[in-house]
Amino acid sequence: MGRLAERVLSRRQVEGLIAAGRTVIILDQNVLQVDAWLKFHPGGDKAILHMVGRDATDEINALHSTGARNRMKNFVIGQIKGPWENFLPPLHGGKFRPYIEGEQVFDEFQERAEELSESESLRTPARSASPASVFDDDRSFIRDPSVLRRRQGSPIASSSSSMTSVSMYDETILDELTRKSIEADLEKYPAIDSETQARIVKEYRKLGERIRAAGLFNCNYFRYFKEVVRYLIFLSISMYCLHAGWYKTSALFLGLFWHQITFTAHDAGHMGITHDFHLDTCIGIFIADFCGGLSLGWWKRSHNVHHIVTNDPEHDPDIEHLPFFAVSHRFFTSLFSTYYDRVMHYDAAAKVLVRFQNYLYYPVLCLGRFNLYRLSWEYLLVGLGPKKGIAAWHRWLEISGMVVFWYWFGYGVIYNGLPSNWDRFVYVMISHIVTMPLHVQITLSHFAMSTADLGVGESFAQKMLRTTMDVDCPRWLDFIHGGLQFQAIHHLFPRIPRHNLRETQRLVMEFCKEVGIPYTLYGFYDGNKEVLSHLGEIGKQAAILADCQAALLKGEHGH
């Protein structure tokens, strides 16, 4: 790694690098500058940007193979000594002071970055320096990122005196709700002091070693053989019924086929099948794009962020569903989504729909697959994935897969295989609605869980368990849930093949008992009740806030 990699960097020097626009993360006591890799990361740049200034060891180990982690050694520019206190990343509103005294070292860092760029056949992306600012050293205060952003100047601010009063009143109410949710979590979960969280990190890493020693990261290919047989049976029945004129039955089994293959695409996206990046990616693309019409690349970009900032309203795309759903009162402030790079307006439509979101939950999820088509094509046509590097060619393979899908499904099945427009409409609706349990399964594990931000001191393991629930079911129903019922376990160890998650559960429960983190487990029925109850509660908050706004505006008008 060279002389520069052996340099010991102070916290202030790392802060100065970030203030100068460098993308710096900590991995296993090493300081990595990954600017040259941002545009080429197969999982997208946002996943990296959420880790700037933080110890990303557990997140990286959870989501990357040994080969990928070894590759990261090429980006080491120094080391740290002792425990690391995380910064709030710039993407989250963190501010950083330039490092004046040792400024001359930046030339050496830049020279090293250029050498790495050449060795990787890449060019270091241009980065604009962040404006100098005073770093807020009061880290005991837990900020709500949405409130911070609004106070810095939000698109929802109003110039009129009456609207300003309403906005201030809203902020007071919502800040109080935020404070209460944070206090509730701090009371329920282990303290966020460095000593407590360090112990959790230590035990979490020991748990990972136990799981690996038990062989639970190894894929059971015989189980996958049985999976493939089931997929082919569903698809064969669908095609037979289509040719026999039993269109509704055909649509039902095609929907079941799509529902089932998604679980294997999920495993492939996490490199949980062969553990080879390109091979698993190709398996995933064949299943998701060629067979299902959905982009695996879009899913990776979105899903990696979801695994890092789980249930954070400002950052996690998996809970950003306005105007239909708001799983936190923080969405009432028209948050800026760092994933979509736009304001999620809490507009007139949202104010109406959110009040009834517990009733709309299942109907909207019935149509969820149509939105995934839109997101997939947006990702591929706009080119949101890597344009160069080891994953660049995946985009063209995916576009080919999407064309093949719409040829065999859109032209072959819908246009040529059905006699009338009504039959086509019914076929499309049945086949897509049948996949609705998949969307319920995905949202079930998160919608009712905490969306509070406990600060940068919280360990990866505690955050995953605090924001994710598992669903209890008998073993014989595992094929319906597809392993996604073990979302808390999956979030702790995403690369474990889903067939091994049930065996992993016992070890995770022992870990939770050891460190004092509650392990949330509901039956499928009770889990759905929790989600509907939570959505109903947020809906009531939306109604109360709207009534308060109306009353305050009426009072202002009277004055």
Side-chain angles (χ1 to χ4, degrees):
M1 292 186 289
R3 174 179 58 85
L4 199 59
E6 297 175 357
R7 183 193 302 270
V8 176
L9 297 176
S10 68
R11 178 180 173 80
R12 277 292 293 118
Q13 287 175 311
V14 172
E15 180 184 353
L17 284 168
I18 300 172
R22 309 290 190 263
T23 305
V24 177
I25 60 176
I26 310 299
L27 171 63
D28 289 327
Q29 298 295 106
N30 291 314
V31 180
L32 277 61
Q33 181 180 311
V34 294
D35 298 78
W37 187 240
L38 266 183
K39 292 186 177 180
F40 308 94
H41 182 225
D45 61 337
K46 293 295 175 67
I48 296 175
L49 294 177
H50 284 296
M51 289 288 101
V52 173
R54 302 187 60 171
D55 186 340
T57 302
D58 289 332
E59 287 85 349
I60 289 174
N61 288 341
L63 292 166
H64 294 81
S65 66
T66 302
R69 295 197 299 272
N70 288 334
R71 183 183 179 89
M72 294 178 194
K73 294 178 181 178
N74 294 326
F75 298 95
V76 175
I77 60 168
Q79 300 177 4
I80 61 168
K81 294 297 182 184
W84 178 256
E85 184 181 358
N86 289 329
F87 286 111
L88 185 69
L91 191 63
H92 295 215
K95 297 182 179 181
F96 299 84
R97 298 168 297 179
Y99 182 64
I100 306 300
E101 182 182 349
E103 226 169 36
Q104 67 272 14
V105 303
F106 289 143
D107 293 335
E108 297 178 51
F109 290 144
Q110 183 62 30
E111 183 178 347
R112 172 62 176 158
E114 291 173 356
E115 291 173 2
L116 291 174
S117 178
E118 292 175 3
S119 68
E120 293 286 335
S121 298
L122 305 174
R123 177 173 292 175
T124 305
R127 304 275 290 173
S128 57
S130 303
S133 58
V134 177
F135 182 75
D136 183 356
D137 206 38
D138 182 12
R139 298 180 187 88
S140 63
F141 178 69
I142 301 172
R143 297 179 183 82
D144 178 349
S146 65
V147 174
L148 176 65
R149 187 176 292 277
R150 291 196 302 125
R151 287 173 180 167
Q152 290 174 338
S154 162
I156 65 170
S158 171
S159 59
S160 70
S161 60
S162 62
M163 286 306 296
T164 300
S165 298
V166 172
S167 296
M168 291 173 63
Y169 185 69
D170 294 350
E171 186 171 308
T172 301
I173 295 175
L174 299 178
D175 282 0
E176 179 65 13
L177 290 173
T178 297
R179 184 185 64 79
K180 288 182 177 180
S181 63
I182 290 173
E183 287 179 351
D185 278 5
L186 290 175
E187 192 173 315
K188 182 178 180 181
Y189 290 89
I192 312 297
D193 61 89
S194 58
E195 183 178 349
T196 302
Q197 294 301 308
R199 177 174 173 267
I200 292 173
V201 169
K202 181 180 178 181
E203 294 301 322
Y204 167 66
R205 293 175 184 177
K206 285 183 180 179
L207 173 64
E209 294 171 0
R210 292 175 62 193
I211 291 172
R212 189 171 299 280
L216 295 173
F217 279 96
N218 300 330
C219 184
N220 187 325
Y221 294 111
F222 178 69
R223 290 191 177 184
Y224 267 111
F225 172 75
K226 293 194 295 184
E227 293 276 337
V228 171
V229 170
R230 183 165 64 249
Y231 303 160
L232 293 177
I233 289 174
F234 286 160
L235 183 60
S236 299
I237 292 175
S238 175
M239 294 301 103
Y240 174 79
C241 291
L242 178 67
H243 288 292
W246 304 334
Y247 302 131
K248 294 177 182 177
T249 306
S250 172
L252 170 68
F253 277 94
L254 182 59
L256 290 175
F257 169 73
W258 284 337
H259 173 266
Q260 289 287 294
I261 63 175
T262 303
F263 302 137
T264 299
H266 179 266
D267 265 4
H270 281 294
M271 291 185 294
I273 300 177
T274 69
H275 310 302
D276 178 86
F277 171 70
H278 286 298
L279 188 54
D280 273 357
T281 299
C282 287
I283 291 173
I285 289 175
F286 174 74
I287 295 171
D289 296 77
F290 285 79
C291 298
L294 304 177
S295 166
L296 185 77
W298 158 78
W299 175 85
K300 277 190 174 186
R301 183 174 187 263
S302 170
H303 199 65
N304 285 344
V305 171
H306 165 67
H307 268 269
I308 291 172
V309 286
T310 309
N311 260 31
D312 190 314
E314 193 177 26
H315 308 298
D316 182 2
D318 277 21
I319 62 168
E320 296 178 343
H321 301 299
L322 283 179
F324 299 104
F325 302 126
V327 299
S328 168
H329 64 273
R330 286 164 58 187
F331 284 103
F332 302 163
T333 65
S334 290
L335 288 174
F336 182 89
S337 167
T338 60
Y339 180 81
Y340 293 110
D341 291 321
R342 61 176 174 82
V343 175
M344 296 177 292
H345 291 288
Y346 187 63
D347 54 18
K351 289 177 181 178
V352 173
L353 294 173
V354 167
R355 295 173 71 162
F356 305 100
Q357 61 181 353
N358 52 320
Y359 301 104
L360 295 173
Y361 178 62
Y362 296 116
V364 169
L365 292 187
C366 283
L367 306 177
R369 193 174 183 88
F370 295 105
N371 187 49
L372 300 187
Y373 291 143
R374 178 188 68 83
L375 292 170
S376 295
W377 276 112
E378 179 184 42
Y379 171 83
L380 293 172
L381 295 180
V382 176
L384 298 177
K387 297 180 177 61
K388 293 183 179 180
I390 62 173
W393 60 275
H394 294 165
R395 178 192 181 196
W396 304 108
L397 180 61
E398 288 204 80
I399 290 176
S400 301
M402 299 284 269
V403 171
V404 169
F405 170 80
W406 285 107
Y407 178 80
W408 76 259
F409 174 68
Y411 178 75
V413 174
I414 301 302
Y415 183 76
N416 271 345
L418 298 167
S420 69
N421 287 334
W422 175 250
D423 288 320
R424 294 182 181 108
F425 173 77
V426 171
Y427 193 99
V428 168
M429 295 308 296
I430 291 176
S431 61
H432 285 63
I433 290 174
V434 167
T435 66
M436 184 267 281
L438 172 66
H439 305 294
V440 172
Q441 186 71 65
I442 293 170
T443 58
L444 187 62
S445 296
H446 299 292
F447 270 23
M449 298 300 287
S450 174
T451 58
D453 177 13
L454 299 190
V456 294
E458 185 177 28
S459 64
F460 171 73
Q462 178 165 312
K463 182 175 179 62
M464 294 304 102
L465 290 164
R466 184 173 60 83
T467 57
T468 313
M469 77 162 70
D470 275 353
V471 177
D472 194 24
C473 74
R475 184 183 290 271
W476 65 272
L477 272 178
D478 282 357
F479 80 97
I480 293 179
H481 294 279
L484 296 182
Q485 75 270 33
F486 299 114
Q487 275 289 293
I489 301 168
H490 169 67
H491 269 253
L492 291 174
F493 302 100
R495 292 183 299 111
I496 293 180
R498 59 192 172 92
H499 302 303
N500 296 337
L501 290 173
R502 182 175 287 278
E503 286 73 19
T504 309
Q505 185 181 44
R506 176 182 59 83
L507 298 176
V508 171
M509 292 176 76
E510 291 175 0
F511 160 77
C512 289
K513 185 177 181 180
E514 173 72 21
V515 299
I517 298 178
Y519 172 61
T520 307
L521 179 67
Y522 287 97
F524 185 73
Y525 175 76
D526 288 334
N528 275 266
K529 282 179 60 179
E530 285 292 314
V531 169
L532 293 176
S533 175
H534 180 73
L535 291 176
E537 181 61 30
I538 299 298
K540 289 179 182 177
Q541 292 176 3
I544 291 171
L545 184 65
D547 291 342
C548 290
Q549 290 174 334
L552 190 62
L553 283 173
K554 184 180 293 185
E556 288 286 339
H557 181 71
H559 285 300

